[in-house]
Amino acid sequence: MYIINNYRFQTFKCESNLHKSNYAVLINAAGKGIKYAPYADFSGEYNVLKKLNHKQIPKVYDVGHGDLYKDERFLIKQNFIVLQHIDGEDILEYFREKDVEKVKVINEVVKMFLTVCDPLIYLHAMKYIHCDIKPGHLICNRETGLGHIIDFELAIKHGEVLRGISREYASPEQFRILDYLRSQKGDHGEDGLPSSMQLDGRTDLYSIGLLFYETLTKKKWQKGMDLPHKINKNISQKLEEIIMGLLEEDVSNRISSAEKLEKMLRSI
């Protein structure tokens, strides 16, 4: 039995892929989980989530730091955040054992990504950008058929400076901003980034495109890779146009909003 500040759980391990932090389902608080790490600061994520209210974005309940005990024996000090537990699998795991070359499964993939448009529309309307959409942060629930967006550690308000990236699922503009910030000296506040380099919701859409491509081809997208239908012959031309529209390196040519993506997916 483990305990942090009266929050009790059974396992001390990372339960979610690609997480820097450990995560456990609480046994004394139904429907809640705790994310914890000795050096992470969860206050930013807490401040973002407490301003959001969407069924496909986890609710947040508490944040702080405390001593981690195992069977009443002190182990280490931890920072933590208590969240709504989202039951399911990450998007790649969800479709891993399915034959994505079957039209029926392709339709399932399209429907799952369609469900993700609504929380993205909401998030972007609230002037937030997730900035870290990747497999472990897009959770699919088999019972409801909905995709949930989790882990807002790197989320920013429009105009704020990038907090970090996950290199495999970051957009080209995130890399450019990171290079710019590294080239500058001193600290950067909200005014430290040129307006031409500030992010918007299209950054999240690029990451969605990476996941869409990988889910349907079981290969990671890189510039110069085969078009989706070259790998999965049953991907339609219209669906391929949507995926490649998400993967446009030039932001101005990319699908412009989650609302537009939703409309395009509904059309097929």
Side-chain angles (χ1 to χ4, degrees), residues 173 176 200 202 245 248-256:
E173 59 269 24
R176 287 195 293 270
D200 59 30
R202 291 172 293 182
E248 282 281 357
E249 295 210 357
D250 186 338
V251 179
S252 63
N253 293 330
R254 196 175 301 158
I255 292 174
S256 58

Side-chain angles (χ1 to χ4, degrees), residues 222-233:
Q222 295 178 10
K223 190 175 181 179
M225 288 281 289
D226 286 331
L227 293 173
H229 83 273
K230 295 286 188 181
I231 303 171
N232 184 340
K233 64 182 183 301

Side-chain angles (χ1 to χ4, degrees), residues 8-226:
R8 299 175 183 273
F9 48 99
Q10 294 283 11
T11 57
F12 179 65
K13 65 178 181 179
C14 182
E15 291 192 0
S16 298
N17 293 336
L18 302 179
H19 271 275
K20 299 178 300 231
S21 309
N22 294 295
Y23 179 81
V25 179
L26 294 176
I27 61 175
N28 63 333
K32 297 179 182 179
I34 186 169
K35 186 164 64 169
Y36 53 101
Y39 304 113
D41 179 4
F42 298 114
S43 59
E45 182 175 16
Y46 178 83
N47 290 331
V48 171
L49 287 174
K50 72 179 182 180
K51 297 173 185 174
L52 303 178
N53 183 21
H54 191 283
K55 66 180 181 180
Q56 289 161 263
I57 295 173
K59 293 180 174 62
V60 66
Y61 304 104
D62 194 12
V63 68
H65 59 272
D67 297 336
L68 173 66
Y69 289 87
K70 179 183 180 182
D71 300 329
E72 301 184 355
R73 179 171 61 88
F74 171 75
L75 294 179
I76 189 174
K77 291 185 178 294
Q78 297 278 343
N79 295 314
F80 69 87
I81 183 170
V82 178
L83 307 141
Q84 176 188 3
H85 174 63
I86 304 299
D87 192 25
E89 303 159 275
D90 78 51
I91 185 74
L92 298 183
E93 188 66 30
Y94 187 86
F95 287 103
R96 191 179 307 280
E97 301 304 322
K98 296 190 177 186
D99 183 356
V100 292
E101 291 195 356
K102 290 184 177 179
V103 173
K104 180 181 178 181
V105 178
I106 292 174
N107 289 337
E108 288 179 20
V109 173
V110 170
K111 287 178 181 178
M112 183 58 71
F113 277 95
L114 182 56
T115 72
V116 178
C117 291
D118 195 61
L120 280 177
I121 291 169
Y122 170 79
L123 183 66
H124 298 161
M126 295 293 288
K127 304 299 183 184
Y128 283 100
I129 312 157
H130 188 279
C131 292
D132 196 23
I133 292 177
K134 58 186 179 181
H137 296 166
L138 182 50
I139 304 300
C140 304
N141 185 301
R142 291 187 182 275
E143 291 187 5
T144 65
L146 296 176
H148 297 255
I149 301 172
I150 69 167
D151 203 309
F152 284 70
E153 284 185 54
L154 300 185
I156 61 172
K157 196 86 170 177
H158 282 203
E160 290 181 345
V161 175
L162 187 70
R163 293 183 180 179
I165 66 172
S166 295
R167 300 190 72 86
E168 287 187 316
Y169 295 95
S171 66
E173 59 269 24
Q174 285 175 289
F175 282 105
R176 287 195 293 270
I177 291 172
L178 187 62
D179 289 342
Y180 171 82
L181 293 175
R182 285 173 172 171
S183 71
Q184 304 300 304
K185 294 182 179 179
D187 296 329
H188 298 274
E190 292 186 16
D191 298 326
L193 198 64
S195 59
S196 61
M197 299 185 74
Q198 292 180 359
L199 302 175
D200 59 30
R202 291 172 293 182
T203 288
D204 289 339
L205 294 183
Y206 185 88
S207 300
I208 290 293
L210 292 173
L211 292 179
F212 222 146
Y213 183 95
E214 189 172 353
T215 302
L216 287 173
T217 66
K218 300 190 184 293
K219 296 180 184 295
K220 284 185 170 61
W221 165 258
Q222 295 178 10
K223 190 175 181 179
M225 288 281 289
D226 286 331

